[in-house]
Each structure stands twice: as C-alpha cells, then as structure tokens.
Amino acid sequence: MKPLLPVEQHFGNIEPVYLFYGAMPTGVSVSETGRIFVCFPKWGDKVEFTVAEIVGGQLQPYPNLETNMVSPANVTTSFISVQSVVADGSGTLWVLDTGAPNFSEPIKGGAKLVAVDLTTNTIRKIYTFTEDVVLPTTYLNDVRFDYRVGRAGYAYITDSSTKGPGAIIVVDLDSGTAFRRLNGADSTSPDPCMLPKVEGRILMNRSREGVISPFRLASDGIAISPDGRVLFFCPLTSRHLYAVSTEALRDRTIPDADLCCRVEYWGEKGASDGMITDAQGNVYAGDYENNSIRKIYPDGAMDTIAHDPRILWPDTFSIGPDQYLYVIVNQLHRQARFHYGKDLRQKPYSLLRIKIGELPAPTFS
C-alpha cells in the first residue's frame, strides 16, 4: 500500500448560499433586513437582467425587468451593465452602473450611481457624471458611503480602468458634484512588477488570435472605516493595501500631488478584488491567488479566516445582519480572455458565506 503524502490544508467553515447556472455574477449586497441582491455585468454572457434579488431561491430582476431593459432612449434611467450593488443599511440599494458593456468606452449618460428605495422598490435618484470624471477609459467598479458628512453624505467610487488612470471618484450626494482624486497615483494604479498567479498558472491576457499581454487593472477593492474617516483601497493587480483620510479626499484645496503624500501604506495582504469593513474596524479582503479570505485588524495584524478550493476568485463581499460575511465566487480568471478564447469556467458560480460574528460598518451615526 502506497503511503499518503501530505496535502495542502484547507480551513474556514464556508457555506454555499446560492448557485448560479446562468450569467456570471460579480456583486452581492445584503440589506439590513436580510434581502440579498446580486448583479451581472455584461462581459459576454447572456445577461437577461443585470441586477437581481434572490427571492424564494429564485433570481428576480430588480427592481423590475423594465429597468433592466436598455434602449438608446433610456440609457440614463435604465441599468446597462452593473458592476456593483451596495445596500447602505438605511433602506437604500445603490446600483453602480458602468455603462460600459465588455469594458467598452462608457456610453454617454450611461455610467451612473442609482439610489433605489427598498421600501417602494423604485428609483429615488440618479447621479450621472461629467466627462472630466468618467473618462473614455473609466470603469466604475465599487462604491462606499458615509452620511455623516455634508448635507446628504458622500460616496467614494473606484475607477478600475484597464487602459487609463485609476482613481477614487468622490461624489457629494447633495449637489451631485463629483471629482477624481489620486488620479493615476501609484496607490490607485496596477503594480507594474506583479505577475498574478491563480490555480498555479500565470494570469495574462491571451487573445483568441494568440496575442499575449500583461493583465493590468487599477483601483478596485474599497472599504470604509466604521467612523467614515478612513478609506481603504487597492488596485486589482497588486498585493498591497492603502488607506487615506476621507476628509483629505473631499478637500479639493489639497492638490493630488500632495494628497499622494497622505496615502498610508498598510502592507501586503495578497491580491484582492473585493473588500468590506465590519463595525469593529476589521477589513476583510479576498486573496484570489490563494483561494483565501483575509481579516486585517485595526492594528494592521492579519489572519486568514478561510482557505478553500471552492473560493475560486473571491469577488465582492457583504456583511449581513446575521453576522455572516457573504462573498461572490465567480472563476473570473477562467474567462476566455485569459485562455486564447477558450472559456474554462465551470458552472455553477456561487454565493458563499462564513460566520464572522460582526455587523457591517455603519454608514450613519
């Protein structure tokens, strides 16, 4: 009898919540009442609706199918290609629409931030952006909120461009004024020295025609401290975590060159897509190279709370009122664009969760 050789250890009590057999999801958010919302950007899959709610074990277009149907006449009032959905804990689901199917140049008026009232399930407000905020290269990725500043609060959005400058987009939710910060800074840009490795293989763009190029994607993951004073962020192709004062981000009298000097380096956490913060100030981040989820404490210490072969590219995180950490797992690295046009993804994609015993960071006092 041949001896059994030691194998890699896996740990963390991961539970499946929902399995997706259709389009690939990227975003998830759990509301304060436990409602679960997901989104499906248009990256080549057949997407019947780009925002959905999981109701009774089924996907339902949210807030309705009509809002998910796009025509040239309604690009501002309908959902085009949604990358992120965020429930704010106070009755609103925020929908971040890239307006850029297949990473195209954003459709004019299509890139937007939409507030949906969870009581009436109707759109309450739409924020669009000027051409100096949403650039031809912009890809709106994720967003965080703080209602304790300004008359109506502020939103912070990552621009995770693949071809242009990364940035943090700051939005005054009262006036609708938006502006770019840390535009093209090292902290919002891909790490030029990083060579991502997933499932033991180097991750690069590999086209159907055989053209190979480095995979580069700018600021992506974003999280905000429980008091709203610190914004954590990271580029997708980077293993580094950064933080900056939200007060400094909002202060336009501070030039970007000076703002860069106020960015704090929090060390190497692994390569992450999504991030989230709990009410105690702990930051949770995926490590897509190692099928893992990290917990970063307020003092900078770090633990790996889950390492599981099922965590095949942890994308977006959300913390529910049940004190579970929810995560979309979507095999993003197996897409055809990385494998000479051959799609290696295997359905189902999944929504997983792990008990953390903490509530989400609040957006209000």
PDB file of all heavy atoms in Angstrom, residues 186-200:
ATOM      1  N   ASP A 186       0.297  56.139  -7.789  1.00  0.00           N
ATOM      2  CA  ASP A 186       0.819  54.780  -7.636  1.00  0.00           C
ATOM      3  C   ASP A 186      -0.154  53.897  -6.857  1.00  0.00           C
ATOM      4  O   ASP A 186      -0.313  52.706  -7.152  1.00  0.00           O
ATOM      5  CB  ASP A 186       2.167  54.806  -6.909  1.00  0.00           C
ATOM      6  CG  ASP A 186       3.294  55.343  -7.780  1.00  0.00           C
ATOM      7  OD1 ASP A 186       3.083  55.464  -9.010  1.00  0.00           O
ATOM      8  OD2 ASP A 186       4.357  55.653  -7.231  1.00  0.00           O
ATOM      9  N   SER A 187      -0.816  54.482  -5.855  1.00  0.00           N
ATOM     10  CA  SER A 187      -1.712  53.707  -4.990  1.00  0.00           C
ATOM     11  C   SER A 187      -2.986  53.254  -5.691  1.00  0.00           C
ATOM     12  O   SER A 187      -3.616  52.281  -5.263  1.00  0.00           O
ATOM     13  CB  SER A 187      -2.071  54.519  -3.741  1.00  0.00           C
ATOM     14  OG  SER A 187      -2.710  55.728  -4.106  1.00  0.00           O
ATOM     15  N   THR A 188      -3.381  53.954  -6.757  1.00  0.00           N
ATOM     16  CA  THR A 188      -4.582  53.547  -7.498  1.00  0.00           C
ATOM     17  C   THR A 188      -4.240  52.865  -8.817  1.00  0.00           C
ATOM     18  O   THR A 188      -5.142  52.543  -9.596  1.00  0.00           O
ATOM     19  CB  THR A 188      -5.491  54.764  -7.784  1.00  0.00           C
ATOM     20  OG1 THR A 188      -4.755  55.736  -8.540  1.00  0.00           O
ATOM     21  CG2 THR A 188      -6.009  55.379  -6.492  1.00  0.00           C
ATOM     22  N   SER A 189      -2.957  52.636  -9.058  1.00  0.00           N
ATOM     23  CA  SER A 189      -2.505  52.057 -10.317  1.00  0.00           C
ATOM     24  C   SER A 189      -2.078  50.604 -10.129  1.00  0.00           C
ATOM     25  O   SER A 189      -1.672  50.198  -9.034  1.00  0.00           O
ATOM     26  CB  SER A 189      -1.318  52.854 -10.873  1.00  0.00           C
ATOM     27  OG  SER A 189      -1.682  54.199 -11.116  1.00  0.00           O
ATOM     28  N   PRO A 190      -2.132  49.810 -11.207  1.00  0.00           N
ATOM     29  CA  PRO A 190      -1.637  48.433 -11.122  1.00  0.00           C
ATOM     30  C   PRO A 190      -0.156  48.405 -10.746  1.00  0.00           C
ATOM     31  O   PRO A 190       0.599  49.315 -11.097  1.00  0.00           O
ATOM     32  CB  PRO A 190      -1.851  47.891 -12.544  1.00  0.00           C
ATOM     33  CG  PRO A 190      -2.838  48.808 -13.175  1.00  0.00           C
ATOM     34  CD  PRO A 190      -2.642  50.141 -12.549  1.00  0.00           C
ATOM     35  N   ASP A 191       0.230  47.371 -10.040  1.00  0.00           N
ATOM     36  CA  ASP A 191       1.637  47.179  -9.707  1.00  0.00           C
ATOM     37  C   ASP A 191       2.338  46.648 -10.962  1.00  0.00           C
ATOM     38  O   ASP A 191       2.070  45.526 -11.405  1.00  0.00           O
ATOM     39  CB  ASP A 191       1.758  46.166  -8.566  1.00  0.00           C
ATOM     40  CG  ASP A 191       3.191  45.898  -8.146  1.00  0.00           C
ATOM     41  OD1 ASP A 191       4.111  46.361  -8.855  1.00  0.00           O
ATOM     42  OD2 ASP A 191       3.394  45.218  -7.121  1.00  0.00           O
ATOM     43  N   PRO A 192       3.242  47.430 -11.560  1.00  0.00           N
ATOM     44  CA  PRO A 192       3.865  47.001 -12.822  1.00  0.00           C
ATOM     45  C   PRO A 192       4.768  45.779 -12.663  1.00  0.00           C
ATOM     46  O   PRO A 192       5.116  45.135 -13.659  1.00  0.00           O
ATOM     47  CB  PRO A 192       4.673  48.227 -13.254  1.00  0.00           C
ATOM     48  CG  PRO A 192       4.951  48.961 -11.984  1.00  0.00           C
ATOM     49  CD  PRO A 192       3.752  48.736 -11.106  1.00  0.00           C
ATOM     50  N   CYS A 193       5.137  45.458 -11.422  1.00  0.00           N
ATOM     51  CA  CYS A 193       6.032  44.320 -11.184  1.00  0.00           C
ATOM     52  C   CYS A 193       5.279  43.044 -10.834  1.00  0.00           C
ATOM     53  O   CYS A 193       5.884  41.982 -10.671  1.00  0.00           O
ATOM     54  CB  CYS A 193       7.015  44.655 -10.059  1.00  0.00           C
ATOM     55  SG  CYS A 193       8.108  46.041 -10.426  1.00  0.00           S
ATOM     56  N   MET A 194       3.944  43.150 -10.711  1.00  0.00           N
ATOM     57  CA  MET A 194       3.185  41.984 -10.278  1.00  0.00           C
ATOM     58  C   MET A 194       2.855  41.069 -11.449  1.00  0.00           C
ATOM     59  O   MET A 194       2.414  41.514 -12.512  1.00  0.00           O
ATOM     60  CB  MET A 194       1.881  42.403  -9.591  1.00  0.00           C
ATOM     61  CG  MET A 194       1.070  41.218  -9.090  1.00  0.00           C
ATOM     62  SD  MET A 194      -0.575  41.682  -8.553  1.00  0.00           S
ATOM     63  CE  MET A 194      -1.231  40.092  -8.089  1.00  0.00           C
ATOM     64  N   LEU A 195       3.038  39.797 -11.239  1.00  0.00           N
ATOM     65  CA  LEU A 195       2.635  38.768 -12.191  1.00  0.00           C
ATOM     66  C   LEU A 195       1.640  37.863 -11.458  1.00  0.00           C
ATOM     67  O   LEU A 195       2.037  36.978 -10.702  1.00  0.00           O
ATOM     68  CB  LEU A 195       3.853  37.967 -12.644  1.00  0.00           C
ATOM     69  CG  LEU A 195       3.752  37.183 -13.951  1.00  0.00           C
ATOM     70  CD1 LEU A 195       3.469  38.118 -15.127  1.00  0.00           C
ATOM     71  CD2 LEU A 195       5.032  36.402 -14.189  1.00  0.00           C
ATOM     72  N   PRO A 196       0.333  38.097 -11.644  1.00  0.00           N
ATOM     73  CA  PRO A 196      -0.659  37.304 -10.902  1.00  0.00           C
ATOM     74  C   PRO A 196      -0.572  35.824 -11.244  1.00  0.00           C
ATOM     75  O   PRO A 196      -0.332  35.460 -12.401  1.00  0.00           O
ATOM     76  CB  PRO A 196      -2.000  37.888 -11.363  1.00  0.00           C
ATOM     77  CG  PRO A 196      -1.676  39.201 -11.978  1.00  0.00           C
ATOM     78  CD  PRO A 196      -0.297  39.076 -12.532  1.00  0.00           C
ATOM     79  N   LYS A 197      -0.790  35.007 -10.220  1.00  0.00           N
ATOM     80  CA  LYS A 197      -0.753  33.554 -10.409  1.00  0.00           C
ATOM     81  C   LYS A 197      -1.980  32.965  -9.716  1.00  0.00           C
ATOM     82  O   LYS A 197      -2.151  33.135  -8.510  1.00  0.00           O
ATOM     83  CB  LYS A 197       0.518  32.956  -9.829  1.00  0.00           C
ATOM     84  CG  LYS A 197       1.802  33.585 -10.383  1.00  0.00           C
ATOM     85  CD  LYS A 197       3.013  33.158  -9.603  1.00  0.00           C
ATOM     86  CE  LYS A 197       4.250  33.953 -10.003  1.00  0.00           C
ATOM     87  NZ  LYS A 197       4.181  35.366  -9.546  1.00  0.00           N
ATOM     88  N   VAL A 198      -2.812  32.301 -10.462  1.00  0.00           N
ATOM     89  CA  VAL A 198      -4.051  31.733  -9.930  1.00  0.00           C
ATOM     90  C   VAL A 198      -4.141  30.270 -10.335  1.00  0.00           C
ATOM     91  O   VAL A 198      -3.894  29.924 -11.499  1.00  0.00           O
ATOM     92  CB  VAL A 198      -5.290  32.497 -10.449  1.00  0.00           C
ATOM     93  CG1 VAL A 198      -6.530  32.092  -9.658  1.00  0.00           C
ATOM     94  CG2 VAL A 198      -5.079  34.001 -10.373  1.00  0.00           C
ATOM     95  N   GLU A 199      -4.492  29.417  -9.383  1.00  0.00           N
ATOM     96  CA  GLU A 199      -4.546  27.972  -9.614  1.00  0.00           C
ATOM     97  C   GLU A 199      -3.224  27.453 -10.196  1.00  0.00           C
ATOM     98  O   GLU A 199      -3.209  26.565 -11.041  1.00  0.00           O
ATOM     99  CB  GLU A 199      -5.715  27.602 -10.526  1.00  0.00           C
ATOM    100  CG  GLU A 199      -7.079  27.823  -9.898  1.00  0.00           C
ATOM    101  CD  GLU A 199      -8.189  27.162 -10.686  1.00  0.00           C
ATOM    102  OE1 GLU A 199      -8.448  25.968 -10.459  1.00  0.00           O
ATOM    103  OE2 GLU A 199      -8.793  27.849 -11.544  1.00  0.00           O
ATOM    104  N   GLY A 200      -2.130  28.039  -9.742  1.00  0.00           N
ATOM    105  CA  GLY A 200      -0.818  27.578 -10.149  1.00  0.00           C
ATOM    106  C   GLY A 200      -0.348  28.066 -11.507  1.00  0.00           C
ATOM    107  O   GLY A 200       0.760  27.738 -11.936  1.00  0.00           O
TER     108      GLY A 200
END
